[in-house]
Amino acid sequence: MGSSRAEMHFHPGIFDSITKLNSYNIGISGASPKISLAILKTFCSQHGTPKFLIYNLDYFALKYDSNRLYSFPRYFPYLSNTVLQKELNNIDPRFTSFYYNPIHSLPYSQIDYLSVSLHGWFNVPGKYDTLCYKGYQTAEINTPLKRKIPQPGYSYIHLKNRQYLDSIIQFSKTNHIQLLLVCSPIIDGGTKEVINKQQVINQIQNIAYLNKIEYWDYSNNNISKNHRLFVDNKHMNRNGASLFSTLFSKDFHNKYVKTPF
């Protein structure tokens, strides 16, 4: 669970083959803790509670207090799910209108969604579909690196994000879900973008300690030093995702499956 970095970095096929578990990727582009909680509730209402929840919590994004839903038309096919419709409407009141009046959403949609809609309507797989597996989707290996010059700055945990993170933790405890917080690799470790990186990570680790859960920080893993494994500052391509998924799955298996505590 998490933002596009969760969606693009955790391959369920690799995870399942190593751990012998059955996983699904519910990462969503631009998902804040508030949006992630809404998606988690929806997933559990539809499929029951999972045994484990792996939440890719990015330390650098927690300072942004935003209810913006990125690429929101991707939710439209699932709005018949009353839980999802209610949760999304609490975030963005337009969703009720979007559900009953598709014309309302048209001015907000890009032309790309017309192509996607036609592919779905005629049941013809598109390029996006070939890169998708159990919720996971990633960029192709030959996608050129879109590197931006980082703007050094400070990060922190916004009060609202902290409250929703606490809600995710409490939801997991109430439903007997083993929660694990993770930060996947960032190009060059992300140290050039966030001046007080270690301070923010220490805060997350303290939250994890107080709630008796773990936070695994892979942001500065060796993968982060190989620019050929990335498509931009924060997202890995298919090769990078495969390497990381293998590494993470082995660590997870050794900790929670092979020698569970």
Side-chain angles (χ1 to χ4, degrees), residues 42-248:
T42 303
F43 178 87
C44 291
S45 71
Q46 192 78 11
H47 303 286
T49 55
K51 183 175 182 180
F52 299 103
L53 175 61
I54 300 160
Y55 184 18
N56 194 76
L57 186 68
D58 296 319
Y59 66 88
F60 53 83
L62 291 174
K63 67 178 180 180
Y64 302 111
D65 172 29
S66 174
N67 292 335
R68 182 180 178 185
L69 295 171
Y70 293 87
S71 304
F72 63 81
R74 69 188 304 169
Y75 298 97
F76 289 175
Y78 312 103
L79 287 181
S80 57
N81 185 309
T82 56
V83 176
L84 179 62
Q85 186 180 343
K86 177 182 177 182
E87 293 292 337
L88 292 180
N89 197 64
N90 288 337
I91 297 172
D92 188 338
R94 295 178 301 172
F95 266 89
T96 295
S97 177
F98 286 166
Y99 182 68
Y100 292 104
N101 180 18
I103 302 301
H104 184 189
S105 67
L106 192 59
Y108 303 98
S109 302
Q110 301 170 0
I111 192 64
D112 294 344
Y113 290 110
L114 176 60
S115 174
V116 173
S117 298
L118 290 174
H119 276 87
W121 183 265
F122 292 106
N123 196 28
V124 177
K127 183 178 180 180
Y128 177 89
D129 301 300
T130 64
L131 298 173
C132 188
Y133 176 76
K134 296 178 75 175
Y136 159 83
Q137 72 89 22
T138 191
E140 296 201 71
I141 302 169
N142 58 359
T143 302
L145 176 64
K146 299 178 181 178
R147 183 73 190 276
K148 294 182 179 180
I149 299 176
Q151 297 295 325
Y154 289 90
S155 187
Y156 56 91
I157 302 176
H158 193 281
L159 178 59
K160 288 186 179 179
N161 283 329
R162 172 61 194 272
Q163 291 172 339
Y164 281 104
L165 175 57
D166 287 342
S167 295
I168 290 172
I169 293 173
Q170 187 56 50
F171 182 90
S172 299
K173 288 182 178 180
T174 301
N175 291 279
H176 308 290
I177 301 171
Q178 179 67 58
L179 175 63
L180 171 62
L181 305 179
V182 180
C183 184
S184 55
I186 305 170
I187 200 167
D188 294 331
T191 53
K192 296 180 181 179
E193 297 181 43
V194 178
I195 298 174
N196 61 329
K197 172 184 175 179
Q198 193 56 51
Q199 182 182 25
V200 180
I201 289 178
N202 288 344
Q203 291 177 334
I204 298 175
Q205 289 175 332
N206 186 55
I207 293 171
Y209 175 79
L210 292 175
N211 288 279
K212 298 181 180 179
I213 56 180
E214 294 193 41
Y215 177 64
W216 294 358
D217 178 26
Y218 293 91
S219 62
N220 200 34
N221 180 268
N222 286 335
I223 293 174
S224 68
K225 300 175 178 60
N226 188 344
H227 292 192
R228 291 178 297 177
L229 300 177
F230 288 80
V231 292
D232 58 34
N233 292 39
K234 299 181 177 70
H235 300 89
M236 292 181 285
N237 60 24
R238 187 167 51 191
N239 274 354
S242 296
L243 284 173
F244 171 67
S245 293
T246 300
L247 169 65
F248 170 78

Side-chain angles (χ1 to χ4, degrees), residues 51-52 178 251-261:
K51 183 175 182 180
F52 299 103
Q178 179 67 58
D251 289 344
F252 184 93
H253 179 268
N254 291 334
K255 179 69 176 184
Y256 293 101
V257 181
K258 184 178 180 181
T259 56
F261 63 91

